[in-house]
Amino acid sequence: MPTGTETGYDPSLGRKFVFVTGGVMSGLGKGITAASIGRLLANAGFDVTAVKIDPYLNVDAGTMNPFQHGEVYVLKDGGEVDLDLGNYERFLDTDMTSDHNVTTGKVYREVIEKERAGDYLGKTVQIIPHITDEIKRRVREAAVGSDVCIVEVGGTVGDIEGMPYLEALRQFAHEEDSENILFTHVTLIPYSKNGEQKTKPTQHSVKELRSIGLQPDVIVGRCEDPLEEKTREKIALFCDVPTGAVFSNPDVPDIYRVPLVVEDEGLDEYMMDHLELAGEALPAGGRDTAWRETVTRERDDETSVALVGKYGMEDAYISVHEALKHAGIATGVDVDRRWVHSEDLAEGHDSQLADVDGVVVPGGFGSRGTEGKIEAIRYCRENDVPFLGLCLGFQMAVVEFARNVLGFEGAHSAELDEDTPHPVIDLLPEQRELDDMGGTMRLGAHATDIEPGTLAHDLYGDTSCTERHRHRYEVNLEYIDGLEAAGMVFSGVSGNRMEILELPDHPYFLGTQFHPEFRSRPTRASPPFVGLMEAVLSRQEETPGVEERPAVGGGN
Ligand code: GLN
């Protein structure tokens, strides 16, 4: 194996790689399929990690617009990455780093920097071998310490941008023993008008794969329903795989059930056999069943929680959505997450918020829709409606309080109104100097000290917590005394930065400068979200006129 010395990788470590490509079209849930495979291998006792390859030229997702690309997910090391990494962290219950998101921007930047530094000794620098070597190096490095690394190639086979990656994976497989690599192709099986499952698009995408030297070992058909036997046979025949290597991945009402479906199909066993891992796997009866138990737990109660934001698509707030779901699982509640457009709220908010049980104001940038968010917060504060503010939502809770409780007219965040007479949210003095140099965003995991005896202390059950951040502005220290004198409690701080706020006289009014949603997992719901759900449930019990709602059940 020639790559051992070149890349510093020791092939004798015997690590396994599952490469996942997509056929026919994007948006098939390839990432969820890949993450589900990972979950099952983890249940069988293996250390599983993942690499998401994004063939775009951006170095990272930090500059990407949530309208177009969905949420920017933040990792503990401060990496701003594609939201798919969030799915991997949630499914695998692991913390990843920026190295697990390979982008064309990162790969080319590295190669160009090496070229400028003279590292290539006068050679012509080319896609093959220099770019492909860099891709392989990154994939191998991200896999260090794991038994199995799932490598998902974003986009669809045939995309120009994806070509260097597929070539790199071809070389990778060539350099490895065949039992260490498994190629999985996730593809679409549409129905014809007369209700027949059609395999031709799959045949074409596999033909495309084969033309670049890749033969799938496993084909997963995304279809409304399970694949019929004759569909499997046809795919097997024309794509040159055993019938037993064609698996269904039918639509399910909840993405967390995909691992269960895939397990029932036997995909995990097939993969472990191919990767020669079956002997090391926990016996079928002794595997980790926490996922199955968690996602199938009864959820008797129903609540509705409004998410007040400006990006009118679920993907832009996917981690908040998922964190609400996790808190629902933990408290036995089915959460109806309602979308409320912040711009509609600036006036006449009551009609939209009147029948919700709780409100979340998530993070964001820019002034559009902020007056509506402030109105939603006022409504919650005045009407004892459980409220959770995240990052910008935390900042707007300070603004609302300054305006309407302290009477500071025009109070605002300096980010959103440069001329505000009361910049209750501002850059810290030391940040202002840095700001001239750019890149002042506070990113990634930082510890917060929690004041004993507060709601935050109750929620976290600890005097500190470590959560992820992505912000630039802070509570202005000059206003803290005034805010506290009027009843706002900063129950979490990190040095001179305010991290958690709460209103002790309110049933549940909590804001966090950090983003707890990024650490929430199905099996480990985030404390501020669980607190919100518990507050919502007790409000439902107390509120007259809602007795017909089912009693509190489940429990965590
Ligand atoms: N725009 C605000 C800041 O930079 C909040 C950021 C956020 O909500 N992620 O501080």
Side-chain angles (χ1 to χ4, degrees):
M1 291 190 204
T3 51
T5 46
E6 267 170 42
T7 61
Y9 167 73
D10 177 3
S12 67
L13 291 174
R15 241 173 259 112
K16 311 286 182 176
F17 294 84
V18 176
F19 297 143
V20 182
T21 53
V24 184
M25 64 177 216
S26 60
L28 281 182
K30 168 164 47 98
I32 297 295
T33 308
S36 299
I37 292 168
R39 177 70 257 157
L40 295 174
L41 296 172
N43 289 351
F46 296 105
D47 251 316
V48 182
T49 193
V51 173
K52 170 77 198 295
I53 291 174
D54 282 313
Y56 46 63
L57 276 160
N58 304 59
V59 171
D60 62 36
T63 54
M64 288 186 167
N65 181 342
F67 269 120
Q68 272 177 34
H69 285 275
E71 160 189 286
V72 176
Y73 189 76
V74 182
L75 299 171
K76 68 173 180 193
D77 68 354
E80 299 171 278
V81 295
D82 195 89
L83 58 83
D84 280 331
L85 275 272
N87 283 326
Y88 283 110
E89 285 204 342
R90 286 185 282 269
F91 275 70
L92 301 177
D93 192 10
T94 184
D95 285 349
M96 300 201 285
T97 63
S98 318
D99 294 340
H100 294 254
N101 191 198
V102 175
T103 66
T104 301
K106 284 182 188 166
V107 170
Y108 275 70
R109 185 165 74 175
E110 180 93 14
V111 170
I112 290 168
E113 276 170 9
K114 278 192 191 155
E115 186 276 330
R116 290 290 83 188
D119 287 6
Y120 296 111
L121 300 169
K123 283 189 193 138
T124 308
V125 182
Q126 292 173 301
I127 292 181
I128 303 169
H130 302 102
I131 294 292
T132 48
D133 277 355
E134 176 61 18
I135 293 167
K136 288 185 284 178
R137 185 188 71 77
R138 281 178 177 262
V139 168
R140 289 201 158 106
E141 227 146 73
V144 167
S146 66
D147 299 316
V148 183
C149 180
I150 314 267
V151 183
E152 178 196 347
V153 185
T156 307
V157 168
D159 295 347
I160 291 177
E161 291 90 342
M163 287 300 185
Y165 294 100
L166 297 178
E167 168 58 15
L169 297 187
R170 189 196 64 74
Q171 293 175 17
F172 198 121
H174 175 77
E175 292 158 5
E176 285 281 343
D177 293 335
S178 61
E179 72 273 15
N180 290 340
I181 305 284
L182 185 140
F183 277 98
T184 303
H185 191 56
V186 181
T187 175
L188 176 73
I189 311 292
Y191 274 108
S192 69
K193 266 204 202 110
N194 50 11
E196 206 187 327
Q197 294 180 342
K198 305 302 285 182
T199 65
K200 193 69 88 182
T202 298
Q203 294 179 39
H204 279 292
S205 78
V206 170
K207 197 167 141 198
E208 184 94 36
L209 262 182
R210 295 170 74 173
S211 74
I212 46 181
L214 298 178
Q215 168 63 40
D217 299 302
V218 159
I219 295 177
V220 178
R222 284 283 298 111
C223 185
E224 274 170 51
D225 308 299
L227 300 186
E228 291 158 18
E229 197 49 34
K230 70 172 197 282
T231 311
R232 289 181 200 257
E233 281 165 9
K234 217 164 166 186
I235 293 172
L237 177 64
F238 291 111
C239 302
D240 211 9
V241 295
T243 314
V246 183
F247 294 87
S248 293
N249 185 357
D251 291 350
V252 283
D254 175 6
I255 54 166
Y256 294 150
R257 286 183 182 258
V258 176
L260 314 187
V261 172
V262 169
E263 185 175 31
D264 293 343
E265 283 270 309
L267 177 56
D268 52 339
E269 297 297 339
Y270 189 91
M271 288 190 161
M272 287 188 276
D273 278 343
H274 177 104
L275 295 168
E276 296 185 1
L277 284 172
E280 294 168 50
L282 293 169
R287 295 195 185 154
D288 187 352
T289 53
W291 184 275
R292 186 177 279 270
E293 283 152 20
T294 302
V295 305
T296 54
R297 191 173 293 163
E298 285 286 317
R299 284 178 252 170
D300 300 328
D301 291 337
E302 274 182 39
T303 63
S304 62
V305 173
L307 197 58
V308 180
K310 70 170 175 179
Y311 304 117
M313 63 190 258
E314 192 172 316
D315 268 3
Y317 302 104
I318 182 169
S319 293
V320 178
H321 260 259
E322 297 305 311
L324 283 169
K325 204 201 280 182
H326 307 159
I329 294 172
T331 50
V333 175
D334 208 2
V335 191
D336 169 20
R337 289 148 294 169
R338 289 208 204 152
W339 172 251
V340 175
H341 212 288
S342 49
E343 278 172 301
D344 299 343
L345 273 185
E347 284 151 39
H349 53 269
D350 296 66
S351 57
Q352 292 208 42
L353 295 182
D355 64 339
V356 300
D357 303 310
V359 172
V360 176
V361 178
F365 292 80
S367 59
R368 203 157 67 72
T370 46
E371 290 306 320
K373 291 179 187 173
I374 293 167
E375 273 305 290
I377 295 167
R378 186 181 64 78
Y379 177 81
C380 291
R381 185 177 54 75
E382 291 178 351
N383 295 290
D384 283 351
V385 176
F387 162 76
L388 177 61
L390 309 169
C391 206
L392 185 68
F394 160 95
Q395 297 175 353
M396 290 306 107
V398 174
V399 169
E400 190 280 322
F401 197 80
R403 285 186 188 178
N404 301 326
V405 178
L406 291 174
F408 292 171
E409 213 173 300
H412 218 322
S413 161
E415 177 195 13
L416 309 171
D417 176 6
E418 279 178 19
D419 305 318
T420 171
H422 296 289
V424 289
I425 303 293
D426 202 352
L427 297 172
L428 290 180
E430 63 261 34
Q431 281 172 294
R432 256 180 238 137
E433 288 153 33
L434 269 175
D435 196 37
D436 295 334
M437 296 185 271
T440 57
M441 191 101 91
R442 185 166 177 248
L443 288 167
H446 297 280
T448 291
D449 295 321
I450 297 175
E451 184 65 26
T454 58
L455 169 64
H457 184 226
D458 217 31
L459 293 172
Y460 280 94
D462 204 343
T463 50
S464 77
C465 68
T466 299
E467 297 276 14
R468 299 181 190 171
H469 297 70
R470 183 174 187 246
H471 68 112
R472 194 172 276 119
Y473 288 80
E474 308 278 347
V475 180
N476 186 337
L477 302 177
E478 287 172 26
Y479 288 90
I480 288 179
D481 287 347
L483 291 162
E484 285 184 334
M488 181 165 271
V489 171
F490 290 101
S491 51
V493 298
S494 174
N496 60 355
R497 301 165 192 266
M498 301 303 111
E499 292 274 10
I500 309 177
L501 67 75
E502 53 192 76
L503 295 180
D505 293 338
H506 190 283
Y508 193 84
F509 191 100
L510 191 90
T512 63
Q513 180 61 79
F514 48 75
H515 291 272
E517 67 271 25
F518 293 137
R519 291 194 64 227
S520 187
R521 308 281 182 260
T523 45
R524 255 176 330 109
S526 165
F529 287 87
V530 175
L532 177 75
M533 218 51 72
E534 283 169 349
V536 158
L537 284 171
S538 44
R539 182 166 179 268
Q540 279 187 347
E541 279 189 329
E542 287 160 16
T543 312
V546 291
E547 297 91 330
E548 65 278 11
R549 284 174 167 159
V552 182
N556 58 359

